[in-house]
Amino acid sequence: MDLSKRIDRAMTRAIAQAQGTDAPAGSVPGRLAAALNYAVTPGGARIRPTICLSVALACGDDRPALSDSAAIALELIHCASLVHDDLPAFDDADFRRGKPTVHLAFSEPLAVLTGDSLIIAAFDLLARTEAADALRALQLVRLLAHHTGMPHGICAGQGWESEPKVDLRAYHRSKTAALFVAATQMGALAAGHEPEAWGELGGRIGEAFQVADDLRDALYDEGTLGKPAGQDAIHARPSAVDELGVQGAIRRLQDILGGAIASIPSCPGEGQLAQLVRVYAERMTPVAPVRV
Amino acid sequence: MDLSKRIDRAMTRAIAQAQGTDAPAGSVPGRLAAALNYAVTPGGARIRPTICLSVALACGDDRPALSDSAAIALELIHCASLVHDDLPAFDDADFRRGKPTVHLAFSEPLAVLTGDSLIIAAFDLLARTEAADALRALQLVRLLAHHTGMPHGICAGQGWESEPKVDLRAYHRSKTAALFVAATQMGALAAGHEPEAWGELGGRIGEAFQVADDLRDALYDEGTLGKPAGQDAIHARPSAVDELGVQGAIRRLQDILGGAIASIPSCPGEGQLAQLVRVYAERMTPVAPVRV
């Protein structure tokens, strides 16, 4: 099965579980249930679960069900963070993935609850592991919490935007890189490998994504992005384009990805993984400025 | 050590962990860190962790560190739900526990992030369990997620308030009773007992709290409650007082608590636990209408 099919199937199962599709009719709040599915579709690149499963496969993937749970837990958290970040109190975004944001399509209360429910569904998924793999699953819960909450996860990253004085390194590390570090480390751990050695690969991929995102935000229009463009400038957020210019940011992106490939720990699927990063590198590098 | 001291100590440790008090100065977003502590203090009755630890003790409490984690995880989730429920999009409350709500004292973005971070901290806490108790800890993660998220936890309960047609039984069960069922079941599980048999006790205590809360909302003023009064009528929420009148609701409360005591499963500390429920019953029953 190719990775995207594997991810889609596991995501469909996880959302059905959170929606309570096997509960008696009318015993579950239907609008919130619908919002959960709305918030995770269409899937787009599913980049974090793809990285997670790619690392798990490179490490032997001896517990595929657990790898699936790790991958989907990450994506649920990622989607939750998008729903909350789009809220009027944050980015006040109208569109995401080419359709109205959850608070516009449903309501603001349902958007808050959708984010909360997706966060909880992520941990629930990891907890539905067979008793024989309980220790590995519990370590996955801890890794996911570390990279998601306070003091060093994506909540902390978002929190930096409310500080009068920002530690830029901590900000980028937690806001964007954290879930990529989680992706490589959780993939390795799900397959029974020590997660620590995999942190650098995730960190570098995360850094590359931040630079690529800054580039796309600066260069592309809303139609191409599927969400409002130019948000970094509007919200005066730190950006690699602002710091280095467009060409400088593209060079930085290529340097980071070179470092990412060099950092891959020794494992059975090392070569394939390096190839995957190369493919992403090509996809991430903007070909031409198209902002209108 | 008495229960309230035990809870205070464990809560202080958990919040310090989430605040990153051992991280280098300036490497953690300070306002969000401060908001986490603000949201869980003053502690008030700490009723859910007290019930959790009381059940754990009645069951022998053979893993006190795990019981502490279960108790505090519950309280973190409860506090998170209060912060999110107070948001302008929900109750738009100005006061909670006699002080300004988190979104007023900090900001709306920080209130959303505070709730998110407290939810994650709850799961993180359970995951910081020694390897030998991994299976029990993972089962606690699953129980907590079940009673917190969708389709049957407190998120679902809150979600019912956005439905055109409400299943009242499901609404009350998930909105209020869920965390009480979690409290008794997690207390039993932390001490190595089967959680299922403990669900009824939690459910009945939760039901009693809902009726007591309806009574207090209808009878007391804002100064006594530490939060706005008369909210059920304002928001047209279902209430036992509305359904049964004040005297009827008080009788219902007493019946429920009698049933709660009768439902306590056989265990070493059965008698003490029954006494505890009696004490709560007395405290919960309003003595005189004082709404001004």
Side-chain angles (χ1 to χ4, degrees), chain A:
Chain A
M1 194 179 346
D2 76 10
L3 284 191
S4 73
K5 269 200 198 132
R6 190 171 159 185
I7 291 166
D8 280 351
R9 278 191 204 180
M11 178 57 91
T12 302
R13 274 198 307 271
I15 289 296
Q17 171 66 45
Q19 289 182 315
T21 47
D22 54 355
S27 70
V28 168
R31 295 190 67 218
L32 179 53
L36 296 184
N37 189 57
Y38 186 92
V40 303
T41 49
R46 301 281 195 218
I47 185 78
R48 292 157 193 80
T50 303
I51 293 170
C52 180
L53 285 185
S54 300
V55 171
L57 284 164
C59 291
D61 198 25
D62 67 340
R63 295 288 188 280
L66 193 55
S67 309
D68 283 355
S69 295
I72 300 306
L74 270 166
E75 186 67 9
L76 292 171
I77 292 281
H78 173 59
C79 293
S81 78
L82 298 181
V83 175
H84 281 183
D85 290 0
D86 286 339
L87 283 169
F90 291 96
D91 291 357
D92 196 13
D94 293 345
F95 288 93
R96 166 74 68 183
R97 293 168 170 167
K99 61 182 189 176
T101 44
V102 175
H103 63 274
L104 288 185
F106 292 85
S107 69
E108 213 180 313
L110 284 172
V112 174
L113 292 172
T114 295
D116 293 354
S117 303
L118 292 175
I119 293 171
I120 296 158
F123 292 104
D124 188 42
L125 192 58
L126 290 172
R128 293 173 179 275
T129 296
E130 288 184 21
D133 297 325
L135 180 57
R136 233 187 252 186
L138 195 69
Q139 289 169 332
L140 287 169
V141 168
R142 187 159 172 189
L143 263 184
L144 185 64
H146 175 81
H147 291 298
T148 302
M150 273 283 282
H152 301 303
I154 54 172
C155 285
Q158 200 60 23
W160 278 113
E161 295 179 10
S162 294
E163 290 296 315
K165 203 179 147 202
V166 178
D167 178 334
L168 270 183
R169 227 180 126 233
Y171 169 67
H172 281 306
R173 203 170 42 206
S174 50
K175 164 115 183 170
T176 311
L179 280 195
F180 288 96
V181 176
T184 54
Q185 290 190 332
M186 289 174 72
L189 180 57
H193 284 227
E194 277 300 322
E196 283 70 22
W198 289 88
E200 186 175 346
L201 175 62
R204 287 180 185 264
I205 297 177
E207 221 182 313
F209 262 81
Q210 182 61 57
V211 176
D213 206 53
D214 292 352
L215 277 162
R216 285 165 45 211
D217 184 77
L219 297 176
Y220 288 174
D221 64 8
E222 180 165 329
T224 312
L225 287 175
K227 62 180 182 181
Q231 292 296 300
D232 291 338
I234 290 165
H235 295 282
R237 285 189 292 232
S239 152
V241 176
D242 196 41
E243 190 193 332
L244 303 166
V246 170
Q247 289 311 318
I250 290 177
R251 273 195 303 277
R252 163 81 63 89
L253 180 60
Q254 288 161 342
D255 288 349
I256 296 168
L257 287 163
I261 291 170
S263 84
I264 296 173
S266 173
C267 65
E270 201 179 325
Q272 268 183 300
L273 204 53
Q275 183 52 28
L276 183 87
V277 177
R278 271 184 219 106
V279 170
Y280 278 130
E282 235 165 79
R283 271 200 222 148
M284 272 194 277
T285 310
V287 279
V290 293
R291 165 73 59 82
V292 286

